[in-house]
Every structure is written in C-alpha cells, then in structure tokens.
C-alpha cells in the first residue's frame, strides 16, 4: 500500500504543470507556476534520487522547504496583489535567518525537529495570508463565486498539505526514537497530503484553462 500510494502521488505531481502548459494561453504566467515546477521536480527527484539511488534525504528536505517557502510566498504575494510586500519580506528574513542558523550551527541537521522549526514560519505565513485573502473575498466577492475560482483550490490544497506535513515533522523525532513505532506507517500521512494537494492543483489548473 505504501509503495502504491507513493507512485500514485508521484504520477499526480507531473500533471499540474503539464496541464497548465498544454493550452494556447500557456504563455500567460500564473503565480502558482513556480510551485507547480517545484512539484514536478520533487516528484522526479524523490522517485529517482531518494527511492532508486538511495541518496540521503537530509539536504533535499531542507532545500525543498526553502524553495517551497518562496514559491508559496510568491503565490500569495501575487494573490493579494502585492499589497503586503513588507510582511512577505519580514517572513522571508525570519525564515532565511533560521534556515542559515540551522545549517551552520545546529548540532544535528538530520533532526526532524529542525524541519518543524522551519515549517512553523512557513505555516504561520500561509495561514496569515490565507486569512487576509478570505477577508478580502467576504468583503468584495460572493463566496459562491470564490469557490469556482482556481485560487480557491490552490489555497485549500496548500493549507491542508501544510497542516498535515507540519504534524508529521513535529512528531518525527519521537517516532524515530520509539522503536515500537514504524516511521513508514506515519509517512503515509505525508503521501496522502501530497495526493490531496496535487489533486487540488490539477482541479485548480483545469479551472484556469476553462477561462
């Protein structure tokens, strides 16, 4: 079951950017595109690098978190029409300083707790910008119309994904220490969260193409 879910999640990661680029209006840049490219690269890397070649995942996880943070930040900055650039800059500085501190000074960067620290900054940023986006919708737009937009599916997927993976990174060290627990069983949560976000990305991109 674990492998089946993993390969299914990997396959789903290919479709969003392919669908976005498959239409005549694909030359129009969408702010979600950088994250879609990251998902595509992550799908191939995790399949080839981590699974087949057994390359240690420590550097990859940290690099992915860094790229993910800025692709999410870029998306929300554009979603909010660049009205909160100073806030995005503040979150970026906090994240980068913490990232460098972990890489340069933390005694064990393999510790999953360090991913949780970085995820805290990321999830606070996403939740904060999501609340601002929702406030704007309720003030200026019909809620039913908002559900029909691509951004509704993108934001929903990002929030669900971060909520699930943050829980896993928070408990990761405890799972590793306890020999009675199997990390692979808990890692299914990460795969399921990836399936959810990638499925919602596909729906969101399809909504873009219907315009």
């Amino acid at each position: 079951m674990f492998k089946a879910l993993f390969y299914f999640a990997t396959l789903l990661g290919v479709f969003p950017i392919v669908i976005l680029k498959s239409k005549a209006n694909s030359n129009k840049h969408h702010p979600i595109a950088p994250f879609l490219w990251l998902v595509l690269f992550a799908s191939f890397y995790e399949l080839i690098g981590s699974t087949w070649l057994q390359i240690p995942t420590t550097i990859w996880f940290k690099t992915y978190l860094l790229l993910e943070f800025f692709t999410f930040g870029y998306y929300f900055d554009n979603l909010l029409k660049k009205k909160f650039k100073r806030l995005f800059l503040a979150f970026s500085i906090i994240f980068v300083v913490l990232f460098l501190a972990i890489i340069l000074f933390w005694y064990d960067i393999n510790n999953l707790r360090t991913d949780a620290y970085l995820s805290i900054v990321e999830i606070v940023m996403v939740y904060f910008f999501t609340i601002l986006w929702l406030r704007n919708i309720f003030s200026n737009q019909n809620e039913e119309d908002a559900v029909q937009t691509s951004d509704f599916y993108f934001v929903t997927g990002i929030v669900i994904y971060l909520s699930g993976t943050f829980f896993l990174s928070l408990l990761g060290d405890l799972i590793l220490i306890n020999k009675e627990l199997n990390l692979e069983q808990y890692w299914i949560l990460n795969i399921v969260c990836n399936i959810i976000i990638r499925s919602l990305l596909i729906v969101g991109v399809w909504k873009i193409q219907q315009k």
Side-chain angles (χ1 to χ4, degrees), residues 90-144:
F91 278 117
S92 300
I93 292 173
I94 294 171
F95 187 90
V96 170
V97 169
L98 181 59
F99 182 86
L100 292 175
I102 289 172
I103 297 298
L104 297 175
F105 303 113
W106 193 265
Y107 67 94
D108 181 16
I109 63 172
N110 292 313
N111 194 316
L112 290 178
R113 198 183 315 151
T114 59
D115 290 348
Y117 293 154
L118 293 170
S119 296
I120 287 173
V121 181
E122 181 180 42
I123 202 169
V124 169
M125 178 189 74
V126 168
Y127 282 177
F128 188 79
F129 285 149
T130 298
I131 291 171
L132 291 175
W133 177 69
L134 289 172
R135 186 186 68 175
N136 183 60
I137 286 177
F138 293 140
S139 300
N140 305 312
Q141 187 177 358
N142 187 297
E143 302 95 273
E144 294 181 1

Side-chain angles (χ1 to χ4, degrees), residues 1-6 9 161 164-165 167-168 175 182-196:
M1 180 180 179
F2 179 87
K3 287 187 177 180
L5 287 174
F6 171 76
Y161 162 76
T165 54
F167 172 80
L168 183 62
I175 298 171
N182 185 349
L183 180 61
E184 186 174 286
Q185 294 178 342
Y186 288 86
W187 202 253
I188 289 178
L189 174 62
N190 180 64
I191 297 175
V192 170
C193 289
N194 273 282
I195 290 174
I196 291 173

